């Protein structure tokens, strides 16, 4: 008589294993929430410091040839026409409302990107530093969820920023009264597609831009972090000056490879009718060759250092505050 063998049942995880997984899940959730909050704080800092530079950049990118002679001419004419605070902070409502979730999602996405990199790179232990390539991959991933917020808010911001260029007749009112009015009119004109116009170019800019952004920040920060002479590992916290330096370097590294894409995006989002990416590219090239893709790069570079220094300073200080609180 042959003996029958019953199939072996899968072994259940032990209580200790379950407890470890619960603790790891809690840590991951808390890390994501901290990144969300810290990113929001950093974003507000970036807008307060960087908006006037951004306004100058956008007006140079979208103005007809010959309207401005340069960045200082934009500032001079803007202040003369609209006043100092109101002129240089025109359209600030959209980024202030949108930048908190935008930067929050960016830093949360970066945190999630690092988790994905660690999951698909078994050799990378929890206490091991990521390589620059891994940080770049996590940075690129952060742009994907961020685009959902960034694209419509940048569309609103650009339209509010450029409407101040128009010389109004006596008694004539601006086309848009504020951010919500822009959204209402865009939706009425072309539905949700009009509100989200430029999303592809936003992702095309922010994907490689974010990869360079986070990789440069981490690389610079590591180079400036003092090492323990015995272990060779980082020792002590980075000074606030070093954080600002790394943040400024990150801002410059982000803009250099993607500035032409940003110009195309600004033109696409500010044009009337139903422009296409190909049509915008051809129009720019016809108007001034390769140089036409780089108007406003001076203000963008000038903005990159203080705005992104303020961003990472806000992020690091927010993390420190939360570490003390929780």
């Amino acid at each position: 008589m042959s003996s029958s063998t019953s199939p072996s049942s899968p072994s259940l995880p032990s209580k200790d294993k379950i407890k470890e997984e619960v603790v790891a899940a809690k840590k991951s959730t808390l890390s994501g929430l901290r990144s969300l909050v810290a990113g929001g704080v950093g974003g507000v800092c970036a807008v307060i410091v960087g908006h006037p530079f951004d306004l100058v950049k956008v007006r140079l990118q979208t103005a007809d040839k010959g309207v401005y002679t340069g960045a200082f001419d934009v500032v001079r004419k803007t202040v003369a026409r609209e006043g100092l605070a109101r002129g240089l902070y025109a359209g600030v409502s959209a980024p202030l409302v949108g930048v908190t979730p935008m930067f929050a999602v960016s830093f949360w996405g970066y945190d999630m990107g690092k988790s994905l990199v660690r999951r698909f790179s078994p050799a990378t232990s929890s206490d091991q530093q990521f390589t620059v390539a891994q940080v770049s991959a996590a940075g690129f991933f952060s742009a994907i969820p961020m685009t959902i917020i960034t694209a419509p808010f940048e569309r609103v911001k650009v339209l509010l920023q450029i409407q101040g260029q128009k010389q109004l007749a006596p008694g004539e009112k601006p086309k848009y009264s504020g951010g919500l009015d822009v959204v209402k009119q865009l939706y009425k004109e072309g539905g949700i597609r009009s509100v989200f116009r430029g999303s592809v170019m936003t992702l095309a800019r922010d994907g490689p831009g974010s990869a360079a952004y986070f990789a440069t920040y981490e690389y610079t920060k590591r180079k400036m972090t003092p090492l323990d002479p015995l272990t060779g590992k980082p020792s002590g916290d980075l000074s606030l000056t070093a954080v600002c330096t790394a943040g400024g370097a990150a801002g410059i590294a982000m803009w250099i490879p993607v500035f032409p894409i940003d110009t195309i995006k600004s033109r696409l989002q500010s044009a009337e009718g139903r422009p296409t990416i190909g049509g915008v590219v051809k129009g720019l090239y016809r108007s001034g060759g390769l140089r036409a893709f780089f108007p406003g790069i001076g203000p963008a570079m000038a903005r990159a250092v203080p705005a992104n220094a303020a961003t990472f300073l806000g992020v690091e200080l927010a993390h420190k505050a939360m570490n003390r609180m929780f």
Side-chain angles (χ1 to χ4, degrees):
M1 190 175 174
S2 62
S3 60
S4 59
T5 59
S6 59
S8 59
S9 58
S11 59
L12 295 173
S14 65
K15 287 183 179 181
D16 289 339
K17 182 67 175 175
I18 294 172
K19 191 180 290 185
E20 284 178 13
E21 290 178 356
V22 169
V23 170
K26 282 183 178 179
K27 281 184 179 178
S28 178
T29 303
L30 187 59
S31 175
L33 287 173
R34 283 178 173 176
S35 296
L36 205 66
V37 173
V41 172
V44 172
C45 295
V47 171
I48 293 170
V49 173
H51 189 79
F53 295 94
D54 189 62
L55 178 133
V56 173
K57 172 185 73 73
V58 169
R59 289 192 173 181
L60 282 172
Q61 285 178 325
T62 57
D64 293 331
K65 195 173 181 180
V67 173
Y68 301 115
T69 58
F72 288 108
D73 190 42
V74 177
V75 174
R76 184 179 60 82
K77 289 180 177 176
T78 298
V79 172
R81 190 164 51 234
E82 303 165 59
L84 183 62
R86 189 175 178 182
L88 295 180
Y89 280 89
V92 74
S93 58
L96 262 182
V97 172
V99 83
T100 302
M102 190 171 75
F103 272 77
V105 169
S106 173
F107 279 85
W108 170 82
Y110 176 56
D111 196 66
M112 293 300 102
K114 288 192 289 186
S115 297
L116 286 172
V117 167
R118 204 180 295 281
R119 184 178 300 172
F120 291 103
S121 304
T124 308
S125 62
S126 59
D127 59 344
Q128 192 175 351
Q129 279 190 333
F130 289 104
T131 65
V132 173
Q134 288 173 326
V135 170
S136 297
F140 190 99
F141 176 83
S142 73
I144 298 172
M146 187 176 71
T147 299
I148 299 169
I149 299 171
T150 307
F153 273 102
E154 293 232 339
R155 172 95 153 112
V156 171
K157 182 197 72 174
V158 166
L159 290 173
L160 285 174
Q161 284 178 330
I162 67 168
Q163 80 168 355
Q165 296 179 133
K166 183 184 176 184
Q167 192 69 42
L168 299 176
E172 184 184 0
K173 292 183 178 180
K175 183 178 180 181
Y176 305 113
S177 61
L180 284 177
D181 188 44
V182 176
V183 175
K184 287 177 185 175
Q185 291 196 43
L186 289 177
Y187 187 79
K188 190 176 180 180
E189 291 166 9
I192 198 72
R193 287 185 67 181
S194 179
V195 177
F196 277 83
R197 184 200 290 177
S199 295
V200 172
M201 295 310 296
T202 300
L203 182 59
R205 178 197 67 180
D206 290 347
S210 295
Y213 186 62
F214 286 108
T216 302
Y217 179 72
E218 291 293 340
Y219 178 80
T220 308
K221 193 168 76 166
R222 289 174 191 176
K223 288 294 182 183
M224 298 184 74
T225 302
L227 300 178
D228 188 306
L230 296 176
T231 63
K233 292 183 178 180
S235 61
D237 292 332
L238 204 61
S239 69
L240 296 184
T241 303
V243 168
C244 290
T245 302
I252 292 172
M254 177 186 72
W255 276 115
I256 289 173
V258 300
F259 195 84
I261 301 172
D262 184 66
T263 300
I264 297 166
K265 179 199 73 69
S266 292
R267 287 276 183 165
L268 193 67
Q269 290 184 320
S270 63
E272 296 182 356
R274 296 192 175 183
T276 62
I277 295 172
V280 170
V281 172
K282 288 176 184 176
L284 279 167
Y285 190 76
R286 276 199 305 267
S287 70
L290 291 176
R291 288 187 65 182
F293 292 88
F294 292 90
I297 192 168
M301 292 295 107
R303 173 189 181 276
V305 175
N308 290 287
T311 299
F312 279 102
L313 182 61
V315 168
E316 295 286 354
L317 290 177
H319 272 301
K320 282 186 178 182
M322 286 185 284
N323 287 337
R324 285 196 298 265
M325 292 166 62
F326 306 108

